[in-house]
Every structure is written in C-alpha cells, then in structure tokens.
Amino acid sequence: MTTSVLSVRVSPEERLLLEEAASQSRSTLSDFIRRKALEAAEVEIFSRNVITIPAKDWEAFESWMARPAKATPALAELAQRTPSWEK
C-alpha cells in the first residue's frame, strides 16, 4: 500500500486540542487526524447524494410515492413493545 503526505496548517491552540483528543483516544496525532478526516469526508459525501429520475420514469415514480403505505405487522408489534431501557 502506498501513502502520501497531506499537510494541514493549524494554530497552536488547534494543535493542542488535536493532540489532546488523539491522546484521549490512545492514538497518534497522525492516525487520529486521518481517521477523523476520513469520517468527516464520508459523512459529507453520503449526505449530499442526488438521485436523478429520468423524465420517462417520473410518472411511475410519482404513482409509487402516492400509493398508501403497506402495513407491516412486525413493525406494528415492535412499536407496541416496552423499550428495554424502560423495563
């Protein structure tokens, strides 16, 4: 596996904060920043998904959306249960 260096400028206060967080998570500063940056990147990418529906399929999509929801007995049963944290 090849890697490359990514340089980021931070203020002294930001560095102290990052070092403390890395220490508390028992990881190196580099590993902590890499892990958190990748997590943030995934959240950013996955939260901005755009779904394109071709014009030829739009009516079928609207029809599907307008249909009443189907009853799901297992979900109805689950909703009636007392949550485990309330038992």
Side-chain angles (χ1 to χ4, degrees):
M1 179 175 123
T2 62
T3 62
S4 64
V5 174
L6 175 65
S7 180
V8 178
R9 294 189 181 277
V10 295
S11 69
E13 295 82 16
E14 291 169 333
R15 184 178 181 110
L16 285 173
L17 179 63
L18 290 167
E19 287 174 341
E20 181 59 31
S23 174
Q24 288 184 18
S25 69
R26 292 185 170 91
S27 66
T28 65
L29 179 59
S30 180
D31 284 343
F32 178 81
I33 291 172
R34 182 185 47 77
R35 188 176 72 245
K36 293 300 180 180
L38 289 171
E39 288 173 7
E42 288 174 349
V43 167
E44 187 68 26
I45 289 169
F46 294 138
S47 69
R48 294 184 184 258
N49 285 338
V50 174
I51 298 171
T52 303
I53 299 171
K56 67 179 182 63
D57 298 327
W58 186 253
E59 285 185 30
F61 173 73
E62 282 188 322
S63 174
W64 175 75
M65 289 293 294
R67 281 187 287 183
K70 291 181 182 176
T72 307
L75 284 178
E77 180 186 328
L78 182 61
Q80 298 303 315
R81 289 187 194 169
T82 302
S84 59
W85 60 87
E86 290 182 6
K87 291 181 180 179

